[in-house]
Amino acid sequence: MVTPYYQDDYVTLYHGDCLDILPNLPGITALITDPPYGIDYRTSSTRSNRSNAKNWEPIVGDGAAFDPSHLLGFPKVVLFGANHYADRLPASPGWLVWDKLNGLESKREIGFNNSADVEMAWTNINKPARLFSHRWMGLLRDSELHHKSLHPTQKPVALMRWVLLATTTAEDFICDPYAGSGATLVAAKEMGRKAVGVELEERYCEVVAKRLSQDLLDLEWSA
């Protein structure tokens, strides 16, 4: 087994390919992740119409169609971006929808918003579909206002806390095999939940380890 890149009382992070590491992680009961969608996502200042936008390196693995089959054998599964590969997933009533506008009028026609108004997550949980409204449009955010962006497809920790509350219990052992900026792992730690993450790119392992080692819990959070 690979030596952990980072470990504390709640969270363990591994640097490597989840295809190699996942089979060696026993006891996982809830897999929650934001994998590469297979859409060759790229950012640039011209796409966002903001001169201060960051040009990110392409996401590793995003240039090929995503196959989620290695993630489907766990008791609870939540996969963000699943509308891009829904034809490779079983039917489910329990989709989660993140409303990123949260009351803002969509103004895509004048270049205000070049990204999706919502993001969708497939689950294997037999519950009604749920909606979470939390503004996250460039500099217009309902949380993490003074935090710099850490990843091109970064999710707010507030969103991942909501996902954990909606889909897991305190007894679940949570896994994020595409850890990215570490939002799922940070949320789990803030909530006192056990979690393990895997990240292929070492630069993002460094980001996640730094976030987790700061031990700065969100003072707005209460169980």
Side-chain angles (χ1 to χ4, degrees), residues 4-6 13-17 21 150-151 179-182 185 197-213:
Y5 190 93
Y6 170 90
L13 174 68
Y14 292 98
H15 172 221
D17 191 329
I21 296 176
L150 303 170
H151 190 278
S181 70
L185 303 179
V198 183
E199 173 53 43
L200 182 61
E201 297 193 64
E202 187 169 9
R203 56 180 169 160
Y204 294 127
C205 286
E206 294 176 4
V207 167
V208 178
K210 183 176 180 180
R211 295 183 83 181
L212 292 169
S213 64

Side-chain angles (χ1 to χ4, degrees), residues 12-38:
T12 301
L13 174 68
Y14 292 98
H15 172 221
D17 191 329
C18 68
L19 290 171
D20 299 324
I21 296 176
L22 265 181
N24 297 303
L25 297 178
I28 295 167
T29 58
L31 187 144
I32 299 171
T33 196
D34 184 25
Y37 308 159

Side-chain angles (χ1 to χ4, degrees), residues 85-171:
Y85 47 92
D87 59 328
R88 295 182 284 281
L89 291 166
S92 170
W95 284 75
L96 305 178
V97 180
W98 170 29
D99 167 20
K100 299 164 67 174
L101 293 181
N102 191 20
L104 287 176
E105 181 182 356
S106 180
K107 298 179 180 177
R108 186 179 297 104
E109 67 277 5
I110 59 172
F112 173 77
N113 173 25
N114 286 322
S115 59
D117 294 346
V118 302
E119 293 195 22
M120 302 173 67
W122 175 92
T123 83
N124 65 350
I125 300 169
N126 189 22
K127 291 184 177 180
R130 299 297 183 199
L131 174 71
F132 179 71
S133 295
H134 188 87
R135 188 172 301 156
W136 192 266
M137 284 290 171
L139 299 177
L140 301 176
R141 296 183 174 188
D142 286 340
S143 64
E144 303 179 44
L145 292 176
H146 304 296
H147 298 210
K148 73 175 184 178
S149 295
L150 303 170
H151 190 278
T153 62
Q154 183 173 340
K155 300 292 185 288
V157 173
L159 168 67
M160 303 318 298
R161 284 197 301 257
W162 175 80
V163 171
L164 291 175
L165 285 171
T167 61
T168 70
T169 69
E171 291 73 33

